[in-house]
Amino acid sequence: MGLLVEQASKSFPGVRALSNASLELADGEIHALMGENGAGKSTLIKIITGVHRPDGGRLLLHGEEVAFHAPREAINRGIAAVHQERNLIPRFSVAENLMLERLPTSRGLVDFAAVEREARKMLELVGLDIDPRIEVRRLSVAQMQMVEIAKALGHRARVLLLDEPTASISDNEAESLFRLVRQLKAQGTAILFVSHKLEEVLSLCDRVTVLRDGETTLAGASMKGMARGDLIEAMIGRKDRAVVARHRSVAANPVVFEARGVATAFGHRDIDLTLRKGEILGLYGLVGAGRTELARALIGKDKVTSGEVRIKDQPVRIRSVEQAIRQHRLGYVSEDRKFEGVILAHPIRSNIASTVWNRIAAALGFITAKREDRVAMPLATQLEIRTPNLDQLAGNLSGGNQQKVSLAKWLAAEVDVLIIDEPTVGIDIKTKGYFHELITGLADGGLSIILVSSDMPEMVALADRILVMHDKRIVAGFDNSHDYDTVSRSIMAAIHAQSGESVEKPGQAMADATA
Amino acid sequence: MNELFSRVIRVQWSGLLAVCILAVLALTIVSPNFLSEYNAFVFLRSLCVSLLVAYSQMVMLGVGQMNLSIGALGGLVAVIVGGLMDAWGVPTLPAIAIALAAGGVAGLVNGWLTVRTGINGFIVTLATGSAFAGINLGITKAIPFYNLPADFVAFGNGRLGPIPNLLIVPLIVSVLLVVFFSRTVTGRHMLAVGGNSHAAELSGLSPNKAIIEAHALSGLLAAAAGILAVAQLGSAQPSIGADWLIISFAAPIIGGASLAGGSISITGTLLAVVLIGLIQNAMVLLQVDPYWVTFLLGALILAAVWLNRYRAVRVGED
């Protein structure tokens, strides 16, 4: 057995990222690790690579229990990871990057001829035909990835973790990556392959482990006979959570926000959506469908290249987020609350009041804590932000309470339309329920909401209407019956119908593998 | 033509070299005194201390850090070497050796504090710089040491035609630094840490070790600058180093160093010091108020950084 993770748990302040997750990675296999955002994949990877230490559970390497305190220890034990962020020195040559920690010297000086020689051998291992003397920053992303794999192999890695290796490379490049991965497998390397792409996982991997909400929902299941739907179901879950499904009638309300044939610089095309007053419009899609990017374009963070956006029946051109808030009362709650939602180093009161500083300022622009409190206090009470006082820094709050602050900011701004992106990612199930009640309550109060989510039960519970996004397009739209089984089936059917078009290629890859 | 242009601007310091040559030509035409033996000597002598000061900061930029204590450290070393020779009667060479060691140790302290406390090196060296300056003034009560050995002072004033003896030191240091950063493991590791400390760590290097080593080297270079300044002035002034801060950053940055770390140019830094020296010399020859030199330096830094940005976009870097 290559690597065994037994019952690993890990909590961060306010959220349990992993609870009793297990992974069994055998030598000479390609093992897929899947799960939606916030499922705990990256936490698990960080435990394996020595970045985090688990709160509970064991890590066994070749049958021997290990505890890593730093990435170096994992590397020394033959565990190498190729992360999404490139870990190479951009201005150094490929050769030097490959040999960085063991530069050969002669008479005290680095022997670059030897560096190059060694590097050529390492590049040959991965079949990468480039001049080792060129600087890394001149390489393509795929080439960098290959260099990193070569480097990992140079460390004599027996366990190789590939974190979404195909996220930013072309299909052709992915094919040569797969060839290499299969070759390594044949040599006995244990490979953990993290990916969101169902097709490539189905064709490439031998077994799969799926995480959801920090728990293992599929543990090393064989890929034989596995269907796309099985994987999706394991990732997004069944109706096993309490939901507050409630039928609301908004069809007669006036339209407050409308997009007609919108295209964006990111690649969205023909986006049509209509949002009525008090409606919760769900925007569902798997990771990579382009939901967040669309939200960002709609609020003026990115560019809408063509099409029309209408607010209260008036065509508008939103050029900046500031304009969206001030002129059009349109707000956006980011999925990334730590970096975009709240200012961690600022107290709760300033965070909440930050959207209305202009309005609450006294003469000469003076803002006092008292003035901020007048806005922040009622909202903190309404959202039940659990804190001794509003002086508390946002950074000291739990994830759930940070999210409440992030939401309160927009309520303070008295927006009419709010785009809420993945409101409950990384938030435990109990607090999730609270947020669901809260969002429904806000809509009942007249707020119009676009809910962006990849959490199926959440979508079924909250949305009045659901739009399904796939590959930067809206591929289906229907009223939500709040019946989990029928709705989830319709959503999946819409996504399958689209991704079915591209089944050809992975099938071919399969033929390659068996040939 | 276009191809030639793009090939030329690929060499980082090509523009600087061109500007330096143009400046020399212009000065020769405008002021006949410029090429006089004595003016050439004065000009070249003005480069010596500046070069070492610039290298001291360049090393820190290479590892992705900054050192605000260079001036104070150089000043402290200057009064140490002066005090050893004047008050204690220590012979020249041992005095220089002890003073250099003191600079290296002060650098180690900077590095150790940065790594150990985890506080930003910018703040650490701001604090230690103040401490060094305090020790300096505490020891000397701001009174210089004047009685220095004759051989030491003679070396500082000596020249071979227009070439000052002192120039030997920065020239040797330049060559050593080129070898150090291009061919030694320690030097390569410093640049790797500066270029991407996270990646360097995941490759099994120790960023902390590289940072401490860079601080020690920076301290050593600042110490050498302090000693050279004493030799040049013929006395150990406690005020030595007080005006080094701007040139320490200006020269490496104009020379093409990246503020993000990991990318430095020794030739570029050298040319930048020459260019700054030419400007200062021109101001004297053209009888411009020397205070404007400071203004020009500021403008030059901005222009250089902006030009580098333009060049990077043009060449398709970043």
Side-chain angles (χ1 to χ4, degrees), chain A residues 64 158 353:
Chain A
E64 179 197 340
R158 302 281 303 135

Side-chain angles (χ1 to χ4, degrees), chain B residues 11-17 19-20 54 57-58 61 246-259 263-277 279 293-309 311:
Chain B
V11 181
Q12 278 210 319
W13 42 265
S14 55
L16 262 180
L17 183 62
V19 173
C20 284
Q57 193 69 266
M58 183 196 72
L61 293 173
I246 184 86
I247 191 146
S248 83
F249 280 106
I253 291 171
I254 294 171
S258 152
L259 281 178
S263 169
I264 54 176
S265 165
I266 289 138
T267 317
T269 304
L270 188 141
L271 287 172
V273 170
V274 170
L275 179 61
I276 294 166
I279 292 173
V293 172
T294 311
F295 165 80
L296 260 176
L297 261 185
L300 210 58
I301 293 176
L302 283 179
V305 173
W306 182 77
L307 252 170
N308 259 343
R309 208 46 250 148
R311 200 185 56 85

Side-chain angles (χ1 to χ4, degrees), chain A residues 471-485:
Chain A
D471 198 16
K472 295 156 204 145
R473 279 198 291 188
I474 289 173
V475 295
F478 46 83
D479 289 325
N480 185 2
S481 66
H482 298 292
D483 177 58
Y484 187 86
D485 289 321

Side-chain angles (χ1 to χ4, degrees), chain A residues 22 114 241 250 442:
Chain A
S22 294
R241 304 211 294 252
V250 291
L442 290 172

Side-chain angles (χ1 to χ4, degrees), chain A residues 229-384:
Chain A
D230 301 332
L231 289 177
I232 293 176
E233 195 172 296
M235 281 195 284
I236 62 186
R238 304 273 307 170
K239 192 176 49 177
D240 51 2
R241 304 211 294 252
V243 290
V244 287
R246 176 153 60 90
H247 195 73
R248 306 165 64 249
S249 170
V250 291
N253 294 359
V255 171
V256 289
F257 183 91
E258 211 176 353
R260 286 280 160 261
V262 161
T264 70
F266 188 76
H268 296 92
R269 276 166 298 147
D270 307 325
I271 300 291
D272 290 333
L273 58 85
T274 306
L275 177 69
R276 293 176 184 278
K277 186 168 171 60
E279 182 181 27
I280 302 176
L281 180 65
L283 195 56
Y284 185 88
L286 296 175
V287 170
R291 297 158 303 169
T292 297
E293 291 78 6
L294 176 63
R296 286 170 166 274
L298 291 180
I299 57 149
K301 181 89 177 61
D302 295 326
K303 240 192 166 126
V304 170
T305 48
S306 70
E308 192 185 38
V309 175
R310 298 173 76 90
I311 291 178
K312 290 177 195 125
D313 257 351
Q314 296 296 315
V316 295
R317 269 242 166 270
I318 299 173
R319 287 186 188 81
S320 69
V321 180
E322 187 190 3
Q323 189 198 358
I325 302 165
R326 293 270 149 71
Q327 283 180 22
H328 306 302
R329 300 203 168 276
L330 172 63
Y332 171 68
V333 180
S334 169
E335 62 177 336
D336 188 351
R337 55 182 168 269
K338 277 197 164 46
F339 289 102
E340 299 183 348
V342 295
I343 301 172
L344 296 173
H346 285 189
I348 294 171
R349 78 159 57 81
S350 314
N351 266 294
I352 296 180
S354 63
T355 50
V356 289
W357 276 339
N358 278 350
R359 210 183 66 212
I360 63 173
L364 300 175
F366 279 111
I367 297 164
T368 60
K370 229 169 96 187
R371 282 170 183 273
E372 289 184 333
D373 278 349
R374 228 176 284 157
V375 175
M377 192 65 91
L379 287 167
T381 317
Q382 184 195 342
L383 301 192
E384 299 170 35

Side-chain angles (χ1 to χ4, degrees), chain A residues 34-38 41 84 164 166-168 195-199 235-236 264 266-269 271 283-295 335 421-422 452-455 468-475 495 498-499:
Chain A
M34 306 190 76
E36 279 291 282
N37 282 345
K41 287 181 317 249
Q84 275 182 282
E164 296 205 41
T166 57
S168 42
S195 176
H196 283 114
K197 299 185 181 170
L198 296 170
E199 285 80 10
M235 281 195 284
I236 62 186
T264 70
F266 188 76
H268 296 92
R269 276 166 298 147
I271 300 291
L283 195 56
Y284 185 88
L286 296 175
V287 170
R291 297 158 303 169
T292 297
E293 291 78 6
L294 176 63
E335 62 177 336
D421 197 354
E422 299 281 10
V452 178
S453 180
S454 56
D455 184 328
V468 182
M469 237 186 143
H470 184 78
D471 198 16
K472 295 156 204 145
R473 279 198 291 188
I474 289 173
V475 295
I495 293 176
Q498 296 300 317
S499 54

Side-chain angles (χ1 to χ4, degrees), chain A residues 51-346:
Chain A
V51 177
H52 289 327
R53 305 201 55 193
D55 303 333
R58 301 198 302 163
L59 201 62
L60 289 110
L61 188 63
H62 308 303
E64 179 197 340
E65 185 166 351
V66 288
F68 300 133
H69 302 87
R72 285 186 66 171
E73 296 178 17
I75 295 172
N76 290 338
R77 295 298 302 267
I79 297 177
V82 176
H83 295 283
Q84 275 182 282
E85 64 274 26
R86 302 273 83 82
N87 280 310
L88 297 169
I89 319 279
R91 281 174 190 272
F92 276 26
S93 71
V94 168
E96 202 173 359
N97 263 290
L98 286 170
M99 298 290 293
L100 192 59
E101 77 292 347
R102 49 202 168 107
L103 290 171
T105 56
S106 81
R107 274 175 276 129
L109 298 181
V110 175
D111 181 354
F112 278 110
V115 171
E116 233 179 274
R117 230 174 14 247
E118 287 301 311
R120 273 186 211 283
K121 282 188 213 158
M122 293 166 80
L123 290 175
E124 241 164 65
L125 281 181
V126 298
L128 185 58
D129 185 25
I130 52 171
D131 184 347
R133 287 168 300 184
I134 64 174
E135 286 184 18
V136 156
R137 60 186 166 143
R138 311 243 176 258
L139 299 182
S140 74
V141 174
Q143 288 172 325
M144 288 188 201
Q145 214 155 45
M146 288 293 194
V147 170
E148 285 203 63
I149 294 174
K151 190 170 176 181
L153 299 178
H155 281 111
R156 298 210 172 75
R158 302 281 303 135
V159 178
L160 183 62
L161 279 62
L162 300 173
D163 190 1
E164 296 205 41
T166 57
S168 42
I169 65 178
S170 76
D171 288 354
N172 274 338
E173 292 166 332
E175 277 308 316
S176 51
L177 175 72
F178 296 157
R179 264 196 296 281
L180 172 63
V181 170
R182 289 195 186 99
Q183 192 187 324
L184 294 173
K185 166 192 160 180
Q187 292 161 8
T189 311
I191 297 153
L192 187 67
F193 190 87
V194 183
S195 176
H196 283 114
K197 299 185 181 170
L198 296 170
E199 285 80 10
E200 69 183 30
V201 165
L202 282 167
S203 72
L204 180 70
C205 300
D206 303 306
R207 293 197 294 158
V208 59
T209 292
V210 177
L211 295 178
R212 185 174 77 233
D213 292 326
E215 291 173 22
T216 322
T217 54
L218 262 187
S222 167
M223 277 297 186
K224 278 206 190 73
M226 185 79 69
R228 207 186 280 127
D230 301 332
L231 289 177
I232 293 176
E233 195 172 296
M235 281 195 284
I236 62 186
R238 304 273 307 170
K239 192 176 49 177
D240 51 2
R241 304 211 294 252
V243 290
V244 287
R246 176 153 60 90
H247 195 73
R248 306 165 64 249
S249 170
V250 291
N253 294 359
V255 171
V256 289
F257 183 91
E258 211 176 353
R260 286 280 160 261
V262 161
T264 70
F266 188 76
H268 296 92
R269 276 166 298 147
D270 307 325
I271 300 291
D272 290 333
L273 58 85
T274 306
L275 177 69
R276 293 176 184 278
K277 186 168 171 60
E279 182 181 27
I280 302 176
L281 180 65
L283 195 56
Y284 185 88
L286 296 175
V287 170
R291 297 158 303 169
T292 297
E293 291 78 6
L294 176 63
R296 286 170 166 274
L298 291 180
I299 57 149
K301 181 89 177 61
D302 295 326
K303 240 192 166 126
V304 170
T305 48
S306 70
E308 192 185 38
V309 175
R310 298 173 76 90
I311 291 178
K312 290 177 195 125
D313 257 351
Q314 296 296 315
V316 295
R317 269 242 166 270
I318 299 173
R319 287 186 188 81
S320 69
V321 180
E322 187 190 3
Q323 189 198 358
I325 302 165
R326 293 270 149 71
Q327 283 180 22
H328 306 302
R329 300 203 168 276
L330 172 63
Y332 171 68
V333 180
S334 169
E335 62 177 336
D336 188 351
R337 55 182 168 269
K338 277 197 164 46
F339 289 102
E340 299 183 348
V342 295
I343 301 172
L344 296 173
H346 285 189

